[in-house]
Amino acid sequence: MRSDPAGPKPAKPSCRQASDGPRGLVSGEVLCEAGQTGPVWRVLRGALRLDLCTREGLRFVQIARPGDCIGLEQLACVPIAFAARALVPAEVQACHFTTDEARRAALLEGMLQQQARVADLVTLRTGPARHRLQQLLLMLAEDAAGRASAEVANRDLPTIKDVAAIIDTSPETVSRVFGEFRRHHRLDARQRRGARFSPARLGEPMPARG
């Protein structure tokens, strides 16, 4: 299991759940657009891609993982900063912070969350491509407590294009590294939107290239 460079996670601020309950998202479904206002969302399951809107189009910023909140900036009267869409099937919950204390706690949580996600970004953007892809797959296998089952199982994956944008490489390189993982038995199988693997096995050091 990876250690969290941001340190212990703060207690989750209390929030009243939306009356319609958790919302499920299919892969690629948009949760919110930059500049909008709406609920603060907590990720319960899966992962979402956050993008900055530029003149050249959407640019990847970070991954929202289980336990993370999206749109906390609205508690400071700022519109949603980033577009968010599901990288894999996900579930989110709208939170309504009913007291000033809860809002302050949520903003503190958001600050610590950002530190952890910046550390994620460093991991996903430095080192060899196979290390970056390995770390991304391990992140996506974790739950809100940072745990992942060691069992071999089918796990949802982003598209090759999304993976390439996240780890800052080309789709061709992503496909090549997936092939390398299969040859070294780190992955039992890969489909278009998923793969079968054990995080424990995938996390083992890869043999040096000859």
Side-chain angles (χ1 to χ4, degrees), residues 126-183:
T126 56
R130 63 178 182 172
H131 173 75
R132 285 178 271 155
L133 179 55
Q134 180 187 50
Q135 294 305 307
L136 174 60
L137 298 183
L138 292 175
M139 287 179 190
L140 293 176
E142 290 181 351
D143 61 18
R147 298 185 297 256
S149 169
E151 299 299 320
V152 176
N154 291 316
R155 303 174 194 276
D156 296 312
L157 295 182
T159 64
I160 293 292
K161 184 177 179 180
D162 276 330
V163 171
I166 292 167
I167 67 172
D168 194 26
T169 190
S170 68
E172 292 77 17
T173 297
V174 173
S175 295
R176 176 178 56 78
V177 175
F178 267 122
E180 186 177 352
F181 285 172
R182 288 196 300 274
R183 288 193 300 275

Side-chain angles (χ1 to χ4, degrees), residues 21-184:
R23 173 180 168 183
L25 301 170
V26 300
S27 295
E29 184 174 352
V30 173
L31 175 65
C32 56
E33 299 282 3
Q36 291 181 338
T37 57
V40 172
W41 297 98
R42 186 179 297 282
V43 182
L44 303 180
R45 179 178 61 83
L48 287 86
R49 169 177 168 159
L50 304 187
D51 288 298
L52 179 67
C53 298
T54 71
R55 291 182 179 179
E56 292 75 31
L58 296 177
R59 298 289 300 273
F60 170 74
V61 174
Q62 68 182 47
I63 299 173
R65 298 166 58 188
D68 289 355
C69 284
I70 297 172
L72 279 173
E73 57 271 29
Q74 295 178 103
L75 300 184
C77 301
V78 176
I80 294 171
F82 305 120
R85 63 178 173 84
L87 280 170
V88 295
E91 189 175 70
V92 297
Q93 174 68 62
C95 291
H96 303 277
F97 303 98
T98 56
T99 66
D100 287 342
E101 181 181 2
R103 285 188 282 273
R104 285 193 295 269
L107 288 170
L108 174 60
E109 179 192 7
M111 181 186 70
L112 298 179
Q113 173 187 309
Q114 283 301 107
Q115 290 178 335
R117 296 303 154 253
V118 168
D120 284 350
L121 194 60
V122 172
T123 299
L124 295 171
R125 291 296 183 97
T126 56
R130 63 178 182 172
H131 173 75
R132 285 178 271 155
L133 179 55
Q134 180 187 50
Q135 294 305 307
L136 174 60
L137 298 183
L138 292 175
M139 287 179 190
L140 293 176
E142 290 181 351
D143 61 18
R147 298 185 297 256
S149 169
E151 299 299 320
V152 176
N154 291 316
R155 303 174 194 276
D156 296 312
L157 295 182
T159 64
I160 293 292
K161 184 177 179 180
D162 276 330
V163 171
I166 292 167
I167 67 172
D168 194 26
T169 190
S170 68
E172 292 77 17
T173 297
V174 173
S175 295
R176 176 178 56 78
V177 175
F178 267 122
E180 186 177 352
F181 285 172
R182 288 196 300 274
R183 288 193 300 275
H184 290 286

